Structure formats: structure tokens, C-alpha cells
Amino acid sequence: MLVSLHNVHVRSRTKRPILAGITLELEPGAFVFLTGPSGAGKSSLLRVMGLALRPTTGSITLLGHDVATMNRRSLSALRRRLGFVLQDSRLIPHLTAIENASLPLWLAGGEPEAVRRHVTELLTWVGLGDRLKARPAELSGGEQQRVALARAIVNKPALLLADEPTGNVDDQTALKLLYLFTELNKMGTTVVIATHQHHLVARMGKTTLAIQGGVLQPPPEGS
């Protein structure tokens, strides 16, 4: 399994339950939508899978590694095999599209010319080949999210976690983004997208998991 969570609980500092008894397994190449209302636990579950939130109890195996037994350096290396896309693209305002998307490779010490070629190809793939030098303020919301997607996948992650990536764009743009996630999944990346936009999820025909009150809900009968 690429991701395996067993009986994961997360509680706040005031002991309020945030996630309660989450058990979940994802095979390599899975594409899953995680749905539920605001405050249901979607973001917290993504953060647990992305090693950004430590569970109070329970076990996590990620990409074949028991997270509990890993040291800080190993965890850091494992995080670099993950990609993240958020509702707010969080682009750096004074950097161009190609510079924003190149950041992970620059931080890893990539050779500048090789980075430029790779990121140019990637931005062209997401439909921004003619917007390489545009800064965030010059891009639409959908274009900003495509830059954020390119940045998230520039290191070819095994697992891509997206938290409400279509929340700030119109439905037509949202579908275009979701189809990009689908194409990425076809290339081998496991994708998990948290969203409350059920009408868009219904059009994609992918596995859907619902969470309510920090608890994964059983699928409807007959599904």
C-alpha cells in the first residue's frame, strides 16, 4: 500500500476530537476525492497523510515506511516525495510563473539550465507556455492554481494531496484543473483531493470517501 492509516486519532490541545479512528488504505495509482462539510476533518486528514500533523494515537505507513520509526532527516526526505496544492495558491508575488514553479528544484540545488527546461515543459503541459514570465498579479485565479500545481509536481511526487484546489475558481476552470489532476494520475501519481463541491466530484467518476465529524463514513448501500 502507498498509504496505510490504522485507527488514527487526532485531538486538539483542549482534547477535542478532530479525527476519530481513521483507518484507510490507498494503493499506488489511486485517485480519491475526500468530501465533507467545512470542519468535517478533510484538511486534517490530508495533513496527517502529508506528515504535517502528527496523530495523537494510531499508526501511519507511507510509501512503505513506518512513520513512527523514522528520524527527522528521513521524514524530511519522505516529505520531498509528496506534493501539495492548497485552495490559496500561495505564490510568491514578486516571482514569475516559471520562478515560482522552479522553487523546489532551486532549493534542492538543481542545475539552472536543466531546471529551466524542465519547468518550461511542465508549465507548457498545464497550459501556461505563454505565461512563463507573468507574475501572480497578472494571472487569473485558474492560472495561479496551475502554477501551484506545476510547483507541486515538479519533483514528480508519488503522492499528491490537494486541499480545496478548485474552491476559488469558477466551475469551468475547476473542471479543467480536475482533468489535469486526472492526467497526472494516469502518469502514475496517486492523487487525493479534498473538496466540498459534490457537483464537480459527480462528474469525474472517481472513488469518493466522505468524512463527517472526523469519522470516515461507510459508502452508501449498493455503491
Side-chain angles (χ1 to χ4, degrees), residues 179-197:
Y179 285 127
L180 282 174
F181 282 105
T182 300
E183 290 302 311
L184 181 65
N185 176 248
K186 290 178 181 177
M187 297 176 192
T189 298
T190 299
V191 176
V192 182
I193 300 177
T195 181
H196 65 277
Q197 296 174 300

Side-chain angles (χ1 to χ4, degrees), residues 2 17 20 37 51 55-56 65 97 110-111 153 169 172-173 190 195 198 204:
L2 191 87
L51 305 180
T56 308
H65 300 278
E111 192 276 320
I153 64 177
V169 298
Q172 184 177 7
T173 302
T190 299
T195 181
H198 295 275
M204 301 303 295

Side-chain angles (χ1 to χ4, degrees), residues 25 46 59 61 69 87 90 101 108 138 146 148 182 207 212:
E25 292 188 336
L46 286 188
S59 63
T61 302
T69 65
Q87 180 172 341
R90 299 192 182 181
E138 302 169 307
R146 281 185 275 165
T182 300
T207 299
Q212 177 72 47

Side-chain angles (χ1 to χ4, degrees), residues 117-130:
R117 286 197 305 269
H118 175 56
V119 177
T120 297
E121 291 176 0
L122 191 54
L123 285 171
T124 300
W125 180 76
V126 299
L128 295 176
D130 60 345

Side-chain angles (χ1 to χ4, degrees), residues 61-119:
T61 302
L62 189 62
L63 279 63
H65 300 278
D66 180 354
V67 172
T69 65
M70 300 177 71
N71 59 34
R72 184 173 298 178
R73 175 178 289 185
S74 297
L75 282 171
S76 180
L78 186 58
R79 287 190 185 98
R80 288 195 291 271
R81 299 179 64 190
L82 311 177
F84 301 89
V85 181
L86 304 176
Q87 180 172 341
D88 176 359
S89 60
R90 299 192 182 181
L91 303 179
I92 297 177
H94 67 273
L95 297 183
T96 64
I98 191 170
E99 289 168 342
N100 267 288
S102 298
L103 274 176
L105 297 182
W106 285 351
L107 294 173
E111 192 276 320
E113 182 58 26
V115 169
R116 186 191 65 79
R117 286 197 305 269
H118 175 56
V119 177

